[in-house]
């Protein structure tokens, strides 16, 4: 693990107070989209760290849903409203489930990994849709969160939850950045390039994939809790294939070059969807599809490649500039 903050982590820490400040400056509807996008952005981060190992999960909505439902069921059946207990319930459920399923998924790669993750996600969708105690296809509502015995209401409750979401989202992003720069993170990149060589070097690719799968599941579950609490509702659509496809869409749109990219890409997707629905209510999916198509054609490495290409060009200009005295 790296011990010092790198440029990405410093940027995330600088963004934290800015994110909190916009809650007092920008209109509520924009703040609400930022709030929701931080939750779904964490799920996109879960997809992104798997893509670093050459794995595409088309079923990441599974843990997005597990986190939200675990928090909701804890409130619904146990009467618990404390934010930290609800968050812990979502993390624990995802951790246990992903640890067990990881023994199966770590054996597969490419399309087999993608389809198997999708199949497991759709199994949960079918189970939740047919369970009347959990509201069937309509889902159920979550309680208003309290915080260690303090139960704010109205605008105070909204700002408290938003502020905590900012801290947790930025904290998760920094932790995942450290993860990608750890030994396992570099092994994942090697697995993507040549898994056989990794095994010859004495490192277990299965163990690295398993650990990455669990980490991605936990982060996605955190995103599910942070998404469900401000909306106050969960339903089976959280684990539907269309939801999981959205997270893959964000990862492709934003790129995997930086840990901040999926967080930014998720917000951009929300804004694009809002204006697409407003401009063309009946064909807004066509607009989203066109955006993705043009991104793949002209920016195959995602929107983040625009930033990296500018950085590279500026370095070339700096290197080619004549030095004083020449």
């Amino acid at each position: 693990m790296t011990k010092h903050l790198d440029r990405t982590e410093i940027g995330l820490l600088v963004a934290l107070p800015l994110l909190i400040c916009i809650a007092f400056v920008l209109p509520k509807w924009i703040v609400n989209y930022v709030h929701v996008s931080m939750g779904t952005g964490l799920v996109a981060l879960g997809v992104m760290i798997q893509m670093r190992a050459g794995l595409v999960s088309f079923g990441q909505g599974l843990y997005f849903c597990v986190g939200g439902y675990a928090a909701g069921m804890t409130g619904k059946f146990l009467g618990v409203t404390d934010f930290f207990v609800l968050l812990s319930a979502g993390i624990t459920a995802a951790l246990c489930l992903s640890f067990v399923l990881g023994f199966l998924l770590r054996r597969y790669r490419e399309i087999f990994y993608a389809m198997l993750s999708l199949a497991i996600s759709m199994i949960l969708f079918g189970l939740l849709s047919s369970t009347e105690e959990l509201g069937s296809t309509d889902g159920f509502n979550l309680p208003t969160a309290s915080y260690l015995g303090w139960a704010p209401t109205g605008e105070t409750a909204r700002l408290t939850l938003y502020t905590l979401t900012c801290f947790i989202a930025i904290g998760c992003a920094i932790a995942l950045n450290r993860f990608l720069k750890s030994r396992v993170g570099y092994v994942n990149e090697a697995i993507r390039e040549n898994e056989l060589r990794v095994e010859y070097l004495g490192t277990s690719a299965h163990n690295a994939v398993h650990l990455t799968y669990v980490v991605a599941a936990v982060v996605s579950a955190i995103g599910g809790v942070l998404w469900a609490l401000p909306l106050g509702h969960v339903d089976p659509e959280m684990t539907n294939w269309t939801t999981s496809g959205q997270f893959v869409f964000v990862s492709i749109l934003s790129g995997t070059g930086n840990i901040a990219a999926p967080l930014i890409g998720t917000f951009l997707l929300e804004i694009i969807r809002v204006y697409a629905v407003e401009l063309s209510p009946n064909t807004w999916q066509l607009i989203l599809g066109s955006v993705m198509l043009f991104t793949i054609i002209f920016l195959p490495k995602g929107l983040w490649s625009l930033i990296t290409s500018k950085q590279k060009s500026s370095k070339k200009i700096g290197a080619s500039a004549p030095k004083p005295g020449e």
Side-chain angles (χ1 to χ4, degrees):
M1 289 283 196
T2 55
K3 295 182 179 181
H4 303 289
L5 294 174
D6 62 14
R7 185 179 300 178
T8 298
E9 294 168 3
I10 293 174
L12 289 169
L13 290 175
V14 170
L16 177 58
L18 297 178
L19 283 172
I20 296 174
C21 288
I22 67 172
F24 302 93
V25 179
L26 296 180
K28 285 186 179 180
W29 70 271
I30 297 180
V31 177
N32 288 337
Y33 278 116
V34 173
H35 194 171
V36 171
S37 65
M38 280 190 285
T40 52
L42 289 179
V43 191
L45 281 177
V47 174
M48 180 255 202
I49 64 173
Q50 293 174 86
M51 291 177 69
R52 283 289 190 97
L55 306 169
V56 180
S57 173
F58 278 101
Q60 205 62 27
L62 170 70
Y63 297 106
F64 179 59
C65 182
V66 165
Y69 264 80
M73 291 168 65
T74 302
K76 181 180 177 67
F77 296 113
L78 300 180
V80 177
T81 61
D82 187 80
F83 172 84
F84 302 102
V85 175
L86 299 180
L87 183 62
S88 299
I91 292 173
T92 303
L95 182 64
C96 295
L97 181 60
S98 62
F99 180 76
V100 174
L101 292 178
F103 287 103
L104 173 64
L105 283 163
R106 71 183 196 173
R107 300 166 55 192
Y108 296 91
R109 301 291 183 270
E110 298 177 346
I111 190 64
F112 304 103
Y113 184 92
M115 291 297 100
L116 187 56
S117 63
L118 175 60
I120 296 172
S121 178
M122 292 308 296
I123 289 173
L124 179 62
F125 174 79
L127 290 173
L128 294 177
S129 298
S130 59
T131 304
E132 294 183 2
E133 290 78 7
L134 297 177
S136 188
T137 56
D138 294 328
F140 61 93
N141 293 330
L142 276 70
T144 302
S146 61
Y147 308 90
L148 302 177
W150 177 51
T153 58
E155 188 68 11
T156 304
R158 187 182 70 86
L159 290 174
T160 302
L161 182 57
Y162 175 79
T163 302
L164 275 174
T165 300
C166 291
F167 274 99
I168 294 172
I170 295 298
C172 287
I174 292 175
L176 288 179
N177 189 61
R178 295 290 179 101
F179 176 78
L180 292 179
K181 293 181 179 298
S182 69
R183 178 178 178 273
V184 177
Y186 290 123
V187 168
N188 282 340
E189 294 187 14
I191 291 172
R192 182 187 63 203
E193 299 299 328
N194 193 324
E195 182 175 344
L196 186 60
R197 184 172 295 176
V198 172
E199 295 286 352
Y200 279 150
L201 292 173
T203 300
S204 173
H206 283 182
N207 289 343
V209 169
H210 195 164
L211 178 58
T212 302
Y213 180 74
V214 171
V215 171
V218 170
V219 172
S220 300
I222 294 173
V225 176
L226 297 180
W227 180 88
L229 284 176
L231 295 179
H233 186 79
V234 290
D235 60 66
E237 286 298 318
M238 294 176 70
T239 189
N240 199 0
W241 68 270
T242 54
T243 305
S244 296
Q246 172 185 315
F247 301 133
V248 178
F249 178 98
V250 170
S251 299
I252 295 174
L253 176 68
S254 56
T256 61
N258 190 281
I259 207 72
L263 294 175
I264 300 172
T266 305
F267 176 70
L268 291 177
L269 176 63
E270 291 291 339
I271 295 298
I272 292 172
R273 192 196 336 247
V274 168
Y275 284 103
V277 171
E278 183 177 350
L279 293 173
S280 182
N282 297 322
T283 59
W284 63 269
Q285 296 94 337
L286 180 62
I287 297 176
L288 287 182
S290 300
V291 170
M292 185 174 182
L293 179 62
F294 285 119
T295 301
I296 293 174
I297 292 175
F298 296 105
L299 295 170
K301 293 185 179 181
L303 296 175
W304 192 260
S305 61
L306 291 173
I307 298 177
T308 55
S309 62
K310 287 184 178 180
Q311 291 176 344
K312 290 180 180 179
S313 60
S314 62
K315 288 182 180 179
K316 289 182 180 179
I317 293 173
S320 58
K323 297 180 181 180
E326 289 186 353

